[in-house]
Amino acid sequence: MRALFPGSFDPVTQGHQDVLRRAAHLFDEVVVCVMSNASKTGRFPVPERLDRLRAAAAGLSNVTVDSHTGGLLVDYCRRTGIDVVVRGVRGVADLDHEMPMARMNRELAGVETFFIAADPALAHVSSTLVTAMSRQGRAPAHSSPVTNSRSPYRT
């Protein structure tokens, strides 16, 4: 079974990497996909996020990296034949945010959502928090974004 792990991934965090690795063990194939989010202003350009996702997926032979920045998630799922979306949840607030989208994806296209609970050691990590802390030069090592050493971009 193929699954989609969508997100803005701005930046890719160790929490994202953990969910990706766990999903890769559960599904035959996982497509991790940079999607646009109208409520977020992108810090890193999409090509940089794709590079970081490739670094996060290193060693996971059943993971592919893609982007879809125009249209709905269900449009991407229909076009690629994916019936399951993977979402990491850190707590009740994430679940409250994700449930309406999961219901709508199912209603619009029959796409199911599979929730993976965050590793407790990473549950406090979010891209927003990592960005805010790194701007102050204070991001803890275990919450740092996944980097690509060849990248011209900096966290």
Side-chain angles (χ1 to χ4, degrees):
M1 179 177 283
R2 297 177 74 214
L4 176 69
F5 179 29
S8 57
F9 303 109
D10 192 27
V12 179
T13 68
Q14 289 182 16
H16 293 134
Q17 186 175 34
D18 177 62
V19 170
L20 178 59
R21 289 186 184 284
R22 290 163 60 197
H25 290 299
L26 295 169
F27 294 95
D28 298 323
E29 181 184 354
V30 177
V31 178
V32 59
C33 188
V34 173
M35 308 285 280
S36 60
N37 183 336
S39 66
K40 293 183 179 180
T41 302
R43 179 172 173 216
F44 292 102
V46 171
E48 169 65 5
R49 294 183 234 172
L50 293 170
D51 285 347
R52 289 177 184 228
L53 284 170
R54 287 184 195 98
L60 301 174
S61 61
N62 64 333
V63 173
T64 56
V65 176
D66 200 1
S67 65
H68 177 73
T69 55
L72 299 174
L73 178 144
V74 293
D75 297 333
Y76 182 89
C77 289
R78 282 184 185 136
R79 182 171 54 82
T80 58
I82 295 175
D83 296 319
V84 177
V85 170
V86 171
R87 298 299 293 159
V89 291
R90 294 166 292 190
V92 175
D94 282 354
L95 202 54
D96 285 344
H97 175 78
E98 294 291 341
M99 286 301 293
M101 289 187 292
R103 290 182 185 117
M104 187 58 68
N105 291 339
R106 186 165 187 252
E107 181 180 324
L108 291 174
V111 173
E112 296 291 349
T113 302
F114 186 88
F115 295 108
I116 295 181
D119 179 326
L122 299 171
H124 66 288
V125 177
S126 70
S127 292
T128 302
L129 180 62
V130 168
T131 297
M133 295 302 292
S134 66
R135 284 183 176 152
Q136 299 298 316
R138 309 225 17 215
H142 69 278
S143 67
S144 64
V146 174
T147 60
N148 177 348
S149 60
R150 298 170 300 154
S151 171
Y153 305 99
R154 298 290 174 242
T155 307

